[in-house]
Amino acid sequence: MNYPLTALIETIRHIVPLNEADTTLIGTLFQPWSLKKGDYFVQQGQVCQQVGFIQTGLVRYFVNQDGDEKIYSFGLENDFVCDYESFLSQQPCRRTIQAIEDSTLFIISSANLQRLFTELNYGERFGRIVIEQIFVQAMGQLVSLYTDSPEVRYQVFLDAYPTLAARITQYHIASYVGVKPQSLSRIRARWAGKDYNRISSPE
Amino acid sequence: MNYPLTALIETIRHIVPLNEADTTLIGTLFQPWSLKKGDYFVQQGQVCQQVGFIQTGLVRYFVNQDGDEKIYSFGLENDFVCDYESFLSQQPCRRTIQAIEDSTLFIISSANLQRLFTELNYGERFGRIVIEQIFVQAMGQLVSLYTDSPEVRYQVFLDAYPTLAARITQYHIASYVGVKPQSLSRIRARWAGKDYNRISSPE
DNA sequence: CGTTCAGTTGACTAAGGTCAATTCCCGTGG
DNA sequence: CCACGGGAATTGACCTTAGTCAACTGAACG
C-alpha cells in the first residue's frame, strides 16, 4: 500500500476509531483515481457504482433542466463524493457529478464498501453516520431554499465556503444560489453601493 | 395485543417479508397514540424521541421563520412520521410536526426501534430502506425547488396528492408550494382563464 | 492585435410580495 | 328562518426583484 492515504484515513478516523487492521483494510479496498477538469464522476442516466474521496480537486453536483444546469452542491478536498440516491438504489442517476478542477481521489466499489461496512470495526456505524450527515446537509439546503432569499443564500455560501468563491466562476455560484449570473452580479453591485465589508457583517 | 395493527403490518410487509414472530414483535413494540387537531407530534427545540405510523389523520412538517411557517411536507394515512434528523442525532428539532386533523397513530420509542432493527428478521434492511426512501424524497423536493416554478410545483402537488388538496387550506398548499396564499390564488385564476381541466392536461 | 469568454450593465418584462378591501362560505345565535 | 360573525379565499393597486435579451468592458491567450 503505497498511496498517500493519510487524508482519507484521518477523515474516517474523525468519524469512528480505527486500529491497525482497519487502516490496512482501507488501503486494500480503495484505489486511486483521477479526473481531469470537465471529466464526469458520474453522469445523468448512469448508475453510480462507487463512492469517491477527494484528495485534491473540486467537483460540482448538478441537474440538467433543458440545458439549464442547476448546481446544488460542491465536493472539495476531504469530502466523500457520490450520488447516494443512485448508489443506494442502483437506479440511474438523475444528476451529474463533474470535476471542475483536475482532481485526485480514492474510490471504492459498491462491493468493497459492503466489505468495509462489515469488516471495519465500526463499519456499520461509519456508514450510518455518513448517510446521516448527508441527509442533514440536504435538509438544511431544502429549508434554506424555502426560507432564504437569493441574497441571503449568497451570503451563507460565502460564509460557508470562503475559499471556494475564488476558485469557481460566478456562473457556478449563481447556479448554486439559484439565480442567473446577471442577478448575482446585481446583488454584488447592490452590496458594493451600501456596504464595503460584507464578510463580517451579514446585516 | 388487540389494536388494529393491520395497516402498520401490511405497510412494513410491503417493504420486507414478515413472519408470525415478526408481527407479534411489532405488536409489542408499538403503542397506540392519538393527536387532536393542532396537537404537536414534536415541536421545534425538542428532541424527537419516537417514530410514528399514521393510521388515520394528517400532519404537516414545517419550519417557523420569524412567524412565517414554511411547510415542506405532509404525512398522511400509512405514512411513517418523524423528524429523522433529530431522532437519529438526538439533537433538538429545527422543525415542527403538527396534526392538522385528529389523528390516530402507533408510535415506537428509540429504544424499541433499535430492538425492531435487531430482532426483526429483516430489521436492518427495513431501517435502511425507510431512511433511503426519505432521503430520496427529500432530494426530489430539493431538485424541484431549484428547477420548478411555483406553478409547476402546484401542478405536481395536485398530481401527487389529488385527494389531499381538498382536505387542507390554500394557506397550507401555498406554503408547501413556496408562495403566499394570494399568489397561489392568482395561479389558480390564471388557469381558470385559459384552461378549465387542469388535472388531465399539465400543458 | 484580435479572439474569446467571464463579468457587468441597461432596458424591459414577468411574477411574486405586501397591504388592504371585498367576497364567499359556514356555523352560531337571536 | 334569518342576521351576524369570523375565517378562508379572492381581488386590486403598487412595489420589489429576478428573468431576458443585448450591448459593452476587461482580462487572458495565442
Side-chain angles (χ1 to χ4, degrees):
Chain A
M1 186 192 26
N2 36 23
Y3 320 127
L5 282 158
T6 50
L8 170 57
I9 287 168
E10 286 313 307
T11 298
I12 297 176
R13 204 196 294 280
H14 196 257
I15 298 171
V16 292
L18 296 178
N19 62 23
E20 280 288 314
D22 289 333
T23 58
T24 306
L25 179 67
I26 291 167
T28 65
L29 297 181
F30 282 86
Q31 51 177 291
W33 197 256
S34 72
L35 295 173
K36 274 186 289 196
K37 181 174 177 173
D39 284 354
Y40 297 101
F41 180 80
V42 69
Q43 249 180 307
Q44 200 161 11
Q46 299 174 342
V47 174
C48 184
Q49 304 282 11
Q50 69 278 319
V51 175
F53 173 81
I54 303 175
Q55 196 201 5
T56 64
L58 178 60
V59 303
R60 63 176 180 143
Y61 298 64
F62 67 95
V63 287
N64 202 313
Q65 179 88 338
D66 312 324
D68 197 14
E69 300 174 342
K70 311 282 185 167
I71 299 173
Y72 65 93
S73 188
F74 297 97
L76 39 160
E77 288 85 1
N78 299 330
D79 281 344
F80 289 100
V81 50
C82 184
D83 183 321
Y84 294 93
E85 181 183 336
S86 167
F87 182 82
L88 292 170
S89 64
Q90 291 294 298
Q91 297 296 309
C93 283
R94 301 191 295 174
R95 306 169 243 300
T96 295
I97 305 176
Q98 182 187 33
I100 54 182
E101 291 179 3
D102 291 350
S103 303
T104 60
L105 15 168
F106 296 102
I107 61 170
I108 184 169
S109 66
S110 181
N112 278 348
L113 187 66
Q114 291 310 316
R115 282 191 58 197
L116 191 79
F117 287 163
T118 56
E119 297 181 22
L120 209 63
N121 279 299
Y122 294 89
E124 291 287 355
R125 180 178 170 79
F126 171 70
R128 182 174 58 80
I129 290 176
V130 167
I131 184 72
E132 218 174 283
Q133 288 177 349
I134 288 157
F135 179 70
V136 168
Q137 195 181 338
M139 288 303 295
Q141 277 234 254
L142 184 60
V143 169
S144 164
L145 276 171
Y146 265 110
T147 59
D148 298 336
S149 65
E151 185 159 343
V152 170
R153 286 175 51 72
Y154 180 43
Q155 185 63 54
V156 169
F157 169 80
L158 292 179
D159 293 344
Y161 304 100
T163 61
L164 185 53
R167 290 166 66 180
I168 61 182
T169 64
Q170 300 295 315
Y171 169 80
H172 289 131
I173 301 176
S175 179
Y176 178 85
V177 168
V179 296
K180 299 289 166 188
Q182 295 95 319
S183 295
L184 186 66
S185 179
R186 276 184 249 271
I187 289 171
R188 290 153 63 84
R190 250 181 271 153
W191 286 357
K194 50 177 95 152
D195 185 351
Y196 285 88
N197 58 336
R198 260 279 136 185
I199 294 89
S200 48
S201 68
E203 163 83 13
Chain B
M1 185 191 24
N2 35 24
Y3 321 126
L5 281 158
T6 50
L8 170 57
I9 287 168
E10 286 314 307
T11 299
I12 297 177
R13 205 197 294 281
H14 197 255
I15 299 172
V16 292
L18 296 178
N19 62 24
E20 280 289 314
D22 289 332
T23 58
T24 306
L25 179 67
I26 291 168
T28 65
L29 296 181
F30 282 86
Q31 52 178 290
W33 198 255
S34 71
L35 295 172
K36 273 186 289 196
K37 182 174 176 172
D39 285 353
Y40 297 101
F41 180 80
V42 69
Q43 249 179 310
Q44 200 161 12
Q46 299 174 339
V47 174
C48 184
Q49 304 281 12
Q50 69 279 321
V51 175
F53 173 81
I54 303 175
Q55 197 201 4
T56 64
L58 179 60
V59 302
R60 62 175 179 144
Y61 299 63
F62 66 95
V63 288
N64 202 312
Q65 179 88 339
D66 312 325
D68 198 13
E69 301 174 341
K70 311 281 184 167
I71 299 173
Y72 65 93
S73 187
F74 297 98
L76 40 160
E77 287 85 1
N78 299 331
D79 281 344
F80 289 100
V81 50
C82 182
D83 184 322
Y84 294 92
E85 180 183 337
S86 167
F87 182 81
L88 293 171
S89 64
Q90 292 294 299
Q91 297 296 310
C93 283
R94 302 191 295 173
R95 305 168 243 299
T96 295
I97 304 177
Q98 183 187 33
I100 54 182
E101 289 179 3
D102 292 350
S103 303
T104 59
L105 17 170
F106 295 103
I107 61 170
I108 183 169
S109 66
S110 181
N112 278 349
L113 187 67
Q114 291 310 317
R115 281 190 60 196
L116 190 79
F117 287 162
T118 56
E119 297 181 23
L120 210 63
N121 278 301
Y122 294 89
E124 291 288 353
R125 180 179 170 78
F126 170 69
R128 183 174 59 78
I129 290 175
V130 168
I131 183 73
E132 218 174 283
Q133 287 177 350
I134 288 156
F135 179 70
V136 168
Q137 194 181 339
M139 287 304 295
Q141 277 235 255
L142 184 59
V143 169
S144 164
L145 276 171
Y146 265 109
T147 59
D148 298 336
S149 66
E151 185 159 343
V152 170
R153 287 174 50 73
Y154 180 42
Q155 185 63 54
V156 168
F157 169 80
L158 292 179
D159 292 343
Y161 304 101
T163 60
L164 184 53
R167 291 165 66 180
I168 61 182
T169 64
Q170 299 297 313
Y171 170 81
H172 289 131
I173 301 176
S175 178
Y176 178 85
V177 167
V179 297
K180 299 290 165 188
Q182 295 94 318
S183 295
L184 187 66
S185 179
R186 276 183 250 271
I187 289 171
R188 290 153 63 84
R190 248 182 273 154
W191 286 357
K194 50 176 95 155
D195 184 352
Y196 284 88
N197 58 337
R198 259 281 137 185
I199 293 89
S200 49
S201 67
E203 161 86 12

